[in-house]
Amino acid sequence: MELFYYLVFGGFGAVVLALELSKTSRDRISNTPTDFNSFKNNYLLVYSLMMVINILAEIAGDWLQGPYVYYLYSQYGYGKGEIGQLFIAGFGSSMLFGTIVGSLADKQGRKRACVTYCITYILSCFTKHSPHYKVLMLGRVLGGIATSLLFSAFESWLVAEHNKRGFEQQWLSLTFSKAIFLGNGLVAILAGLFGNLLVDTFSLGPVAPFDAAACFLAIGMAVILSSWTENYGDHSENKDLLSQFKGAAIAIASDEKIALLGAIQSLFEGSMYTFVFLWTPALSPNDEEIPHGFIFATFMLASMLGSSIASRLMARSSLKVESYMQIVFAISAAALFIPVGTNFLVPPSNVKGGSISFSGCIQLVGFCAFEACVGIFWPSIMKMRSQYIPEEARSTIMNFFRIPLNIFVCIVLYNVNAFPIIVMFGMCSIFLFVASILQRRLMKIADTETSKPQDWMGHKERQLEAEPLNA
């Protein structure tokens, strides 16, 4: 392996270590009580287990560039078109069923929804053993539903339980930043190495990471069942799913902060998923030999750097999330514009194979900068969602946010070979620049309004009061 990869990995590792060791009392939230620490550590354990599952599936190929599930499907005799349909089915099911499962989580209980996630994903993992197309398609659909629960139910449970126990709002930032640092960073690196160990070293085949994921899911589900209490959004008996959808839509339409937050999230995550599909062909346009696993670990280390920076920023009560995130979005826009710039400024290489090119080295550093922005984004967007999304419909609204994201990803997947790669990166850069503008608008609104979530039930009360006038 080239020295360059070690230098990039070692450089980011040294910076992360230096940031963590140099933290002062100003850079961290200290003197938290024992009961909060126990609560936080319990959630971090479960979240880390869920991320092990997510990364093992990713290494197994749940994202398009992952080599093993693509190889698995091809071994079953399916072509590129059929495999593409399987990937689209996952995002499509998340789009179609996400709002439904989100509403059920608010109504039936977030703990129950988290357990449902574990069961659904275990079933999805088991379908990988079957060579039948319909069974594999069912597995993708189940995986899409599980993804909707993963990115809504767990966070909704945490925020509600945190507030129910009377913990300080500032402490929520600590849990968010630690979750991303551990779950999306350190655990992701270890899970990636473990997944490669199962497939390459032990030669257990491309299904092995999914089997391992199912085991971790069972452990996580046991922890949830034994130590979590139930909490709800609005679980009144006289309210059906349609009423919950309507109430969530009213909350989004009547509160510009919520609408802006949803647009910002969709723009950033849409660009992030597109990046996942594009980084491999961007770094090896002429089939250069690149160490995918090592680069993935470097990306996760860069994400750890971002989450470490985020923890410092959120520890300072005088610095608002809305303020620094517009800078983060601008930096991420510049980072994903680098492939466009190198395409015009750096002479392309026409030599097939070999090692990574000079242009690829520049792009890799830029991609690491983007991953650092991702590490800042996750705890920061979680913090803003906890402030602005009303508790009564938290899971429902969070899954509403994922509808445009999933539509966008399905379109990208369907047309991934229709546009030059620099056009795709340019589009992502524009989206991120727009997100920066919208974030500035959100900051201005936040400066003039209170930070408390709008009273969503008030929308319904005003609606009921208006009904006699409309009769």
Side-chain angles (χ1 to χ4, degrees):
M1 191 183 300
E2 293 185 9
L3 178 63
F4 172 73
Y5 299 114
Y6 288 111
L7 289 175
V8 174
F9 185 87
F12 276 103
V15 174
V16 171
L17 184 62
L19 279 177
E20 287 299 303
L21 293 178
S22 64
K23 280 185 177 179
T24 64
S25 58
R26 189 185 177 191
D27 300 320
R28 65 175 80 242
I29 300 173
S30 54
N31 300 323
T32 52
T34 304
D35 56 344
F36 168 74
N37 291 333
S38 299
F39 168 76
K40 177 195 67 178
N41 293 336
N42 176 272
Y43 179 79
L44 291 177
L45 172 62
V46 172
Y47 184 83
S48 297
L49 286 169
M50 297 305 109
M51 286 301 104
V52 169
I53 296 154
N54 202 37
I55 298 302
L56 283 174
E58 181 181 318
I59 290 298
D62 210 29
W63 289 3
L64 188 61
Q65 292 301 331
Y68 298 123
V69 84
Y70 200 98
Y71 171 72
L72 175 67
Y73 291 156
S74 64
Q75 287 294 102
Y76 286 157
Y78 300 113
K80 187 175 181 180
E82 292 169 311
I83 295 173
Q85 291 172 5
L86 288 170
F87 282 108
I88 291 174
F91 289 101
S93 69
S94 181
M95 176 184 65
L96 292 174
F97 301 114
T99 51
I100 297 175
V101 298
S103 296
L104 289 174
D106 287 329
K107 188 177 181 64
Q108 302 297 329
R110 278 73 177 266
K111 173 185 174 181
R112 197 170 296 168
C114 294
V115 172
T116 302
Y117 160 79
C118 296
I119 295 172
T120 305
Y121 213 114
I122 286 173
L123 294 175
S124 177
C125 290
F126 287 162
T127 62
K128 299 299 184 291
H129 287 274
S130 173
H132 300 292
Y133 191 77
K134 291 182 178 179
V135 176
L136 294 173
M137 181 64 75
L138 174 63
R140 296 297 303 177
V141 171
L142 290 173
I145 295 172
T147 300
S148 295
L149 289 169
L150 174 64
F151 289 107
S152 60
F154 287 86
E155 184 180 328
S156 297
W157 179 88
L158 170 66
V159 174
E161 196 68 18
H162 182 98
N163 293 330
K164 186 171 72 174
R165 299 191 183 198
F167 297 138
E168 290 186 21
Q169 197 67 24
Q170 183 73 6
W171 298 346
L172 199 54
S173 302
L174 177 62
T175 307
F176 286 147
S177 59
K178 286 291 184 183
I180 302 303
F181 185 85
L182 294 174
N184 293 46
L186 182 61
V187 170
I189 294 172
L190 296 176
L193 295 174
F194 181 58
N196 282 321
L197 185 71
L198 293 175
V199 176
D200 297 333
T201 305
F202 295 152
S203 301
L204 296 178
V207 182
F210 287 102
D211 294 336
C215 296
F216 283 108
L217 278 163
I219 296 171
M221 183 168 63
V223 175
I224 293 171
L225 288 170
S226 62
S227 60
W228 285 23
T229 58
E230 189 61 275
N231 62 54
Y232 302 86
D234 183 3
H235 64 292
S236 55
E237 296 294 331
N238 60 347
K239 185 167 290 187
D240 56 18
L241 284 177
L242 186 60
S243 299
Q244 286 183 274
F245 292 160
K246 185 177 180 181
I250 290 173
I252 295 172
S254 61
D255 191 334
E256 188 180 357
K257 297 191 299 297
I258 300 176
L260 285 170
L261 195 63
I264 290 167
Q265 178 180 321
S266 295
L267 288 168
F268 188 89
E269 290 191 35
S271 300
M272 181 184 70
Y273 279 107
T274 304
F275 164 75
V276 170
F277 304 145
L278 298 180
W279 71 262
T280 293
L283 296 180
S284 56
N286 297 310
D287 298 323
E288 290 91 345
E289 295 180 4
I290 58 174
H292 292 83
F294 197 82
I295 291 175
F296 172 80
T298 305
F299 286 164
M300 295 302 99
L301 194 58
S303 180
M304 288 177 67
L305 171 62
S307 62
S308 181
I309 294 172
S311 68
R312 283 173 171 254
L313 295 174
M314 292 192 293
R316 306 187 181 193
S317 56
S318 59
L319 183 61
K320 291 186 177 181
V321 176
E322 294 83 358
S323 177
Y324 68 75
M325 279 308 296
Q326 58 182 319
I327 301 174
V328 172
F329 291 136
I331 294 173
S332 62
L336 290 194
F337 192 75
I338 288 177
V340 181
T342 55
N343 182 73
F344 293 103
L345 299 177
V346 180
S349 172
N350 296 321
V351 180
K352 288 289 182 180
S355 59
I356 189 170
S357 65
F358 176 68
S359 173
C361 292
I362 297 174
Q363 291 181 57
L364 179 58
V365 174
F367 292 164
C368 288
F370 175 73
E371 284 290 344
C373 292
V374 172
I376 300 174
F377 167 80
W378 282 119
S380 301
I381 197 74
M382 289 174 178
K383 175 67 173 176
M384 288 189 288
R385 285 195 297 239
S386 72
Q387 292 175 336
Y388 298 132
I389 299 179
E391 184 59 48
E392 294 81 4
R394 185 176 299 277
S395 294
T396 307
I397 292 175
M398 287 174 65
N399 277 294
F400 264 53
F401 289 172
R402 294 186 65 81
I403 292 176
L405 163 66
N406 285 305
I407 292 174
F408 174 74
V409 172
C410 287
I411 293 173
V412 169
L413 274 172
Y414 189 76
N415 298 284
V416 71
N417 294 320
F419 300 102
I421 195 169
I422 60 169
V423 172
M424 303 289 279
F425 274 113
M427 177 185 65
C428 291
S429 182
I430 292 172
F431 285 172
L432 292 168
F433 181 72
V434 173
S436 180
I437 295 173
L438 296 180
Q439 183 66 49
R440 183 169 181 80
R441 170 63 181 168
L442 179 59
M443 183 189 68
K444 288 183 177 180
I445 297 174
D447 287 340
T448 57
E449 297 183 9
T450 62
S451 299
K452 295 180 179 180
Q454 187 163 332
D455 182 9
W456 178 70
M457 290 302 294
H459 293 295
K460 188 63 179 176
E461 291 172 3
R462 289 191 292 273
Q463 189 180 25
L464 291 172
E465 291 172 359
E467 285 178 357
L469 299 177
N470 297 331

